[in-house]
Every structure is written in C-alpha cells, then in structure tokens.
Amino acid sequence: MTAAAALTVTATGPASTIQDLGRPGWFSSGIGVSGAADRRSHALANRLVGNRDTAATIECLLGGLTLQATAPVAVAVTGAPAPITVDGTPMGHATVIRLRAGQTLRLGMAAAGLWVYVAVRGGIDVTPVLGSRGRDTMSGLGPDPLSTGMRLPIGDDRERSIELDVAPVAAIGTDPVVAHVILGPRDDWFTEPQDLFVGWWEISDRTDRIGARLNRDPDFPALSRRNDKELPTEGMPLGAIQVPPSGEPVIFLADHPITGGYPVIGTVIDDHLDRVAQARPGQHIIFRAV
C-alpha cells in the first residue's frame, strides 16, 4: 500500500461518519467515550483486513455509500447486511474485498439493521482528537461527517496478515431483540418496575447514535413513577435505560450524555448493546431481568 493510497467518497448514503472505539478517560472534562455504535461489527471488519480493533472505520447508516480506490486496497464490509458491489459485480458480506486502483465499491440499502461498517487495511488515517479518530455526533468532536468528494487517507494500522477471506457471522435480522437488564439504581422510583419486562417495546423513529427511544403498545402497562420529586443530576453509563416523564424509555447508546436528571430504571448489559444499536424503527425489543 503506497503513501498515496486513499478512498474517495462519491456518495455518502443517509449519513456516514468515521468511527473507532472512542475516547475513554475524559469524563472529568464532560466528554463521553462515543465510538462505533456496533462495536463487534466494527472490530470484525478490522480483523478481516488485518487491522487492530482500534483502527478507524466508516460507519454508514443503512447503506448508500460509494467509495473509489486510488490504489490497490483491501476492504471488508460488516454490520447491517447492505448489498455490496465492486464495479457492478456483487460481493460477499463479511469478506475480504480487494480493490484495484480506480475500482468503485457501492453499498445498497440494508433490509435489516441500521449500521454498516467499512474497514480498509491500514485504517482511515484522519487526525485524532483527544486520542480518537471517531465522530461524536452529540458534542461535535472528531472529523466531519463524510461528504461527496472527500478523500480519506489510509494509514498503516495493521497488526496481522490477512488470514481468511470470509467470516461466518450470525445475520442481523428483523426479529425481536432480546436484551438482558440489571435493574437499578432508580427502580424504586417506579410503581411497578417489573412492568419493564412485560410484553415488548417498539423502537421509535427518533432513534439515533445517542439513544434507542422506545414506544409502548397500549396492550402492555406503561411505566409509572411513584416518586415525582426532582432527581439530582447523576452519571449515565452506556446502556442506561432512562425514563423521562412521558414514561417512554431511552436506552443510551454510543453518543449518550454522561449525566442526566431522569431516573434510570435499569441498564442493558454490555454484551447486548451492539444488538440494541442495530435495531431499527418499528422493531420490537424484549427486556429480560438478569
């Protein structure tokens, strides 16, 4: 790979940003970790092309991204199963794709899931901000979202040789997402906190990288508070289920605020957060108590 190797953006899709594993260690300055919404898909794409997990990838909402290589490069596409073509030829999901100079990679629109990840061997080599190359959409830190004509330099963030051509991974579908939850610390602020686990919730169309907002079917009980006092601002971890006065929970995701004033009824366990991040509007989520 030459120093001039790069990817040129010729179409961005609905929204595309550069992401890595975030910028931990800045809570005292009011800055959250951020990073890839679906960390497993980000890491898998990097591992397929021999990068470190920390290398920067492109995170694309639904698909629609088009990239042209300026030199021979190896790329991999994971996450939501967007159709992939190179100069019109279909390519496989979660496979190593070798592009020649001038070839164009196109993503169609995924029929399931939200976030598509594109890794290139060497990583996207933009300037880090506070130790991360990722975009925090809430604070505005990090590189600008991708735009047409943008040239993305490729670095040398390789860790190993490319040892396989395809990774067999479970498909991201439209079935209900099951997420395990640890109740607390403010479950005692609710009349019946166990109502969180009754029936299912629906992902709202207001879901984004900050949080998965949930709607409630009228056949199932809403969450009602027994304590209407004002809650002092307190820390909010990744996966916290915060319940505003409307009673419709928000599961905090990658770009969530690090403090909040509404009670947290529980927290989704870390192992289940990637699947929650991939749930799209209209999809059901079922909570199970740990």
Side-chain angles (χ1 to χ4, degrees):
M1 192 174 299
T2 68
L7 295 173
T8 300
V9 180
T10 57
T12 64
S16 295
T17 59
I18 297 169
Q19 296 295 339
D20 55 16
L21 293 180
R23 46 182 64 84
W26 293 96
F27 280 174
S28 62
S29 299
I31 298 170
V33 175
S34 189
D38 178 353
R39 297 158 298 175
R40 290 181 181 176
S41 293
H42 162 87
L44 174 62
N46 271 325
R47 292 175 187 184
L48 279 165
V49 295
N51 291 345
R52 300 175 179 88
D53 289 358
T54 53
T57 64
I58 299 170
E59 181 184 87
C60 177
L61 176 62
L62 297 175
L65 178 70
T66 304
L67 303 168
Q68 186 177 53
T70 63
V73 293
V75 300
V77 182
T78 61
I84 309 161
T85 62
V86 173
D87 289 350
T89 301
M91 296 289 165
H93 184 77
T95 65
V96 179
I97 301 170
R98 292 172 171 82
L99 301 178
R100 299 189 301 274
Q103 285 193 305
T104 297
L105 174 83
R106 287 188 173 86
L107 303 182
M109 302 303 286
L114 285 180
W115 306 107
V116 186
Y117 293 85
V118 180
V120 57
R121 181 161 172 79
I124 306 297
D125 192 21
V126 294
T127 303
V129 176
L130 300 180
S132 170
R133 292 183 169 89
R135 174 73 174 183
D136 184 332
T137 61
M138 186 172 186
S139 70
L141 285 173
D144 290 337
L146 269 57
S147 59
T148 301
M150 183 180 287
R151 184 182 173 95
L152 303 176
I154 296 171
D156 192 28
D157 204 5
R158 290 165 284 179
E159 185 173 60
R160 60 185 72 84
S161 60
I162 298 175
E163 298 177 355
L164 73 167
D165 292 321
V166 59
V169 294
I172 294 173
T174 57
D175 292 339
V177 172
V178 177
H180 289 181
V181 172
I182 300 172
L183 278 179
R186 301 298 180 186
D187 53 310
D188 58 345
W189 280 50
F190 296 86
T191 306
E192 294 291 344
Q194 294 295 329
D195 285 345
L196 181 72
F197 306 110
V198 176
W200 44 260
W201 299 80
E202 183 179 281
I203 301 291
S204 164
D205 60 3
R206 295 177 293 125
T207 288
D208 54 22
R209 280 180 49 86
I210 295 172
R213 292 160 174 81
L214 307 180
N215 297 325
R216 191 58 153 162
D217 188 287
D219 289 340
F220 302 126
L223 293 175
S224 59
R225 284 173 56 172
R226 70 165 77 241
N227 188 338
D228 293 325
K229 296 179 181 178
E230 184 176 345
L231 180 69
T233 298
E234 55 189 8
M236 293 289 146
L238 182 67
I241 306 173
Q242 189 184 67
V243 185
S246 67
E248 296 177 336
V250 180
I251 306 171
F252 279 158
L253 300 177
D255 288 350
H256 70 89
I258 64 173
T259 61
Y262 297 136
V264 171
I265 192 171
T267 303
V268 176
I269 67 171
D270 192 73
D271 280 352
H272 290 182
L273 282 173
D274 293 327
R275 67 181 68 168
V276 171
Q278 285 286 7
R280 64 198 305 171
Q283 197 165 349
H284 292 169
I285 182 166
I286 299 170
F287 294 120
R288 295 282 185 258
V290 174

